[in-house]
Amino acid sequence: MSLVRIGAIATNGFREVIRDRILYLIGLFAIFMMICSRLLPEISAGTTNKILPDLGLATMTILAVIVTIFVGTGLINKEIEKKTVLTLIPKPVSRAEFIIGKHLGLAAVLAVLVASMMAIYLLILTVSGISYPIYSLLVAAFFLFLELCLIAAAGLMFGVFTSSILATLLSFAIYLIGHLSQDMVRLSNLTQNPSFEQLTNWLYLFLPNLSRLDLKNDAVYGVLPPADVLWSNALYGVVYTVLFLAIATIIFSRREF
């Protein structure tokens, strides 16, 4: 495996995503935050200091997840559907290098996206005179990036063997179930339905628990888990990302073009 070839694929992937004008969303986010900072004081009855920070983080997360799923599922699937992958297979590039390079390119775009939106978010809060826990918010942004990398890996995995539409739906399912798995387990225990309880336990066991990477609800108030829990959760996200990429590589290596 060559780091040079992976770097070249990642660079090309980064440029490809940037050319799709994905980063225009940064401008939309900035406009949305400025409008909210102006309108909320008029309608929120003095609760702007609580609503605006929560709204900003929620909007940032939604936009980033949408970009990740739609772009991630199409990165390789688009190459397969347009047959451009046929020009790469004969070259001395392994399919593992291709998968890893594509993921790293998308991860670089996501890093720029999250960093830019967080900078705008903090600037709007500062201009609005709202105090915020900078350290907690930066940690939450980093964990959002880890979550997006995990979802991107899942999108790549689905994209190598399904259509774009199905891959997108499956990726959204991973995201939703990943955030609801703990609640589903609690609900199954209350229903006392053995079949539903077994299903939710299997989903909780095999699918990533994305709530471990979601810190925004507490970080906005300056509350974070202990350092050992943070490291454990970060490692958890990295492991699942590597696992999805490994599965994507295995499936992609067995496909005939």
Side-chain angles (χ1 to χ4, degrees):
M1 187 175 295
S2 171
L3 294 179
V4 175
R5 290 195 292 266
I6 292 175
I9 295 171
T11 301
N12 290 333
F14 178 84
R15 292 171 178 170
E16 177 185 352
V17 177
I18 293 296
R19 282 197 297 267
D20 287 338
R21 301 176 182 177
I22 293 299
L23 297 183
Y24 281 6
L25 285 175
I26 297 174
L28 292 177
F29 176 75
I31 294 172
F32 175 79
M33 288 297 297
M34 286 188 289
I35 293 175
C36 289
S37 67
R38 294 295 183 181
L39 291 181
L40 283 177
E42 305 295 331
I43 62 176
S44 61
T47 59
T48 304
N49 289 4
K50 295 181 179 180
I51 296 178
L52 187 60
D54 288 330
L55 182 62
L57 285 181
T59 304
M60 186 190 312
T61 301
I62 292 172
L63 290 177
V65 169
I66 291 174
V67 169
T68 302
I69 291 178
F70 278 100
V71 176
T73 54
L75 271 183
I76 295 179
N77 190 276
K78 182 169 60 177
E79 303 273 4
I80 296 174
E81 292 179 350
K82 293 183 178 180
K83 305 298 183 181
T84 53
V85 70
L86 297 176
T87 62
L88 295 171
I89 299 303
K91 296 181 179 180
V93 177
S94 71
R95 301 195 184 191
E97 292 171 345
F98 186 68
I99 294 288
I100 296 172
K102 285 289 188 180
H103 185 266
L104 290 178
L106 178 55
V109 174
L110 296 176
V112 172
L113 186 65
V114 171
S116 300
M117 288 195 294
M118 178 55 69
I120 293 169
Y121 170 77
L122 296 178
L123 178 61
I124 295 295
L125 293 184
T126 301
V127 172
S128 301
I130 299 175
S131 60
Y132 52 85
I134 180 66
Y135 173 74
S136 298
L137 291 177
L138 292 179
V139 172
F142 174 71
F143 272 79
L144 172 60
F145 171 70
L146 291 180
E147 181 181 359
L148 296 176
C149 288
L150 192 158
I151 297 170
L156 285 174
M157 178 185 68
F158 293 130
V160 299
F161 70 90
T162 62
S163 65
S164 297
I165 295 177
L166 183 57
T168 300
L169 293 176
L170 290 173
S171 298
F172 272 114
I174 287 285
Y175 176 76
L176 293 175
I177 295 174
H179 280 280
L180 297 175
S181 58
Q182 289 183 331
D183 294 329
M184 291 172 62
V185 171
R186 296 190 190 100
L187 178 62
S188 67
N189 293 332
L190 293 176
T191 60
Q192 297 181 347
N193 185 322
S195 299
F196 183 61
E197 186 174 355
Q198 185 177 15
L199 174 62
T200 54
N201 286 334
W202 278 102
L203 290 175
Y204 183 77
L205 180 63
F206 288 103
L207 296 182
N209 179 11
L210 296 179
S211 61
R212 296 181 63 171
L213 304 176
D214 183 9
L215 304 179
K216 63 180 182 295
N217 292 332
D218 293 328
V220 74
Y221 300 109
V223 179
L224 288 176
D228 58 333
V229 175
L230 288 175
W231 282 109
S232 174
N233 291 345
L235 180 61
Y236 177 86
V238 171
V239 168
Y240 258 102
T241 300
V242 172
L243 177 62
F244 283 142
L245 290 177
I247 296 173
T249 301
I250 293 172
I251 296 173
F252 191 54
S253 64
R254 295 184 177 181
R255 290 202 59 171
E256 296 294 336
F257 298 100

